[in-house]
Amino acid sequence: MSLFHDDNHEYFNMERLEEAARDAMANCSLIQRCREGDRSAAIAHMRGFWPFTRDFEKAIDRRANSSNLPREPLYAKFGRNKTRETLLGSAKSIRNLLDSEIAGVFEEARASLIEMQKDEYRHSKHWEADARNLGISYEVLQSEPATPLIQRLIDETGNGDLVEFFARSLASTEFIAETAGETLAHAPAYTQLFARKRSIWMEVHTVPHDGEPSHEEIVMDFARAYDDSGSPERIEKLVLQGIAMFAAAADEVEAHYNHVLAVAAE
């Protein structure tokens, strides 16, 4: 796939950003309790982050679709041919990534079935299915209110500054999702909590990309394309801010559901 830039790994310190996400997960009490098989923590995580998982996907559909992105700044910077080639390539790559993630988990799936039931394989559907396998009813999940910091994460997906949108909202989400998958997808104490003994949402974030750019690479490339600073510093700082926001939101979710679940148990 053609990106706007072919030197993103040299331009950005991707290892630093990946390490920041790993540190956030390692120091997150909620995630570590999940890893250790704490059912109440897993329920809190599923319920607490559901409003963001649902609304984040809507934001991607609405704002990051290539047909909805402003093209004039890209035409001015890269020319019409390069811009069109890259926008078409990014859409194709994201579709290919989705299919490869699905195939990696559902090896028996056929391409026609994937196409027919694409909505079922969307990440929010994985989250819903995992919640159901954890004993959380559809009605409970859908009625979950967003805590203040979860709402802030949701609000960030509407940021009008495209550099901030791609970096602080999208890229940080992708770094966190990949790291959460690394942490929990194959943690036996965690997966044993689910009726099917696996968390599909976590698994799809661990499947190799087979030579295609990862979601992180794609959104970092777009952030750079819309950025006029000529320096990686602003974008990397925004990603780190987003990662910190997720860490703070996880602490808030943990505290909130510690109370909610304790009251429900009385």
Side-chain angles (χ1 to χ4, degrees):
M1 170 199 162
S2 173
L3 297 175
F4 286 108
H5 312 89
D6 58 11
D7 64 340
N8 285 317
H9 278 276
E10 291 75 30
Y11 186 78
F12 293 116
N13 189 341
M14 300 290 275
E15 291 77 13
R16 175 193 178 203
L17 301 177
E18 291 168 354
E19 188 62 31
R22 291 192 186 101
D23 285 346
M25 292 293 99
N27 292 305
C28 177
S29 172
L30 181 65
I31 294 298
Q32 292 306 310
R33 286 172 58 204
C34 287
R35 187 178 65 83
E36 293 165 3
D38 186 323
R39 177 174 292 276
S40 63
I43 291 172
H45 181 244
M46 279 284 158
R47 290 175 61 177
F49 276 89
W50 165 248
F52 174 77
T53 303
R54 175 195 61 212
D55 291 353
F56 176 77
E57 193 162 83
K58 293 177 182 177
I60 299 300
D61 290 343
R62 182 178 67 253
R63 300 199 63 211
N65 185 298
S66 63
S67 64
N68 296 330
L69 291 172
R71 300 193 180 197
E72 290 306 322
L74 303 179
Y75 289 159
K77 199 170 183 179
F78 302 102
R80 288 179 177 268
N81 289 340
K82 175 67 173 177
T83 297
R84 288 171 176 168
E85 174 189 348
T86 303
L87 290 175
L88 287 172
S90 68
K92 180 175 183 293
S93 181
I94 289 172
R95 286 196 301 273
N96 288 345
L97 271 174
L98 177 62
D99 289 351
S100 70
E101 287 175 343
I102 294 164
V105 177
F106 300 99
E107 294 181 359
E108 71 279 14
R110 296 291 184 268
S112 59
L113 182 62
I114 291 171
E115 187 63 29
M116 288 170 55
Q117 299 182 332
K118 187 173 291 184
D119 187 59
E120 186 175 343
Y121 294 127
R122 293 164 69 89
H123 288 183
S124 67
K125 296 299 181 183
H126 291 317
W127 195 278
E128 286 184 10
D130 282 347
R132 185 169 61 251
N133 273 265
L134 196 57
I136 303 170
S137 72
Y138 178 83
E139 291 74 21
V140 167
L141 194 67
Q142 297 302 324
S143 65
E144 290 296 341
T147 61
L149 291 182
I150 292 294
Q151 187 59 52
R152 184 182 173 194
L153 289 172
I154 294 170
D155 292 343
E156 276 293 317
T157 66
N159 196 315
D161 183 315
L162 283 172
V163 179
E164 294 185 6
F165 170 66
F166 278 110
R168 187 163 58 209
S169 185
L170 268 62
S172 66
T173 299
E174 296 298 341
F175 279 108
I176 286 291
E178 294 280 331
T179 308
E182 290 175 5
T183 305
L184 297 177
H186 303 295
Y190 177 70
T191 57
Q192 288 301 306
L193 297 173
F194 297 85
R196 57 185 170 185
K197 308 305 180 188
R198 62 194 303 197
S199 167
I200 302 300
W201 191 94
M202 295 298 170
E203 287 185 30
V204 298
H205 289 90
T206 66
V207 176
H209 299 307
D210 295 329
E212 292 281 0
S214 67
H215 286 178
E216 296 99 310
E217 292 173 276
I218 293 170
V219 294
M220 292 290 282
D221 187 63
F222 270 97
R224 183 180 176 187
Y226 281 107
D227 181 44
D228 293 325
S229 71
S231 167
E233 292 179 3
R234 180 193 178 200
I235 295 171
E236 291 182 5
K237 182 177 180 180
L238 289 168
V239 176
L240 293 172
Q241 288 174 357
I243 290 171
M245 288 168 62
F246 272 101
D251 289 343
E252 180 184 70
V253 163
E254 180 178 35
H256 174 73
Y257 283 95
N258 280 348
H259 174 71
V260 168
L261 296 175
V263 170
E266 291 178 355

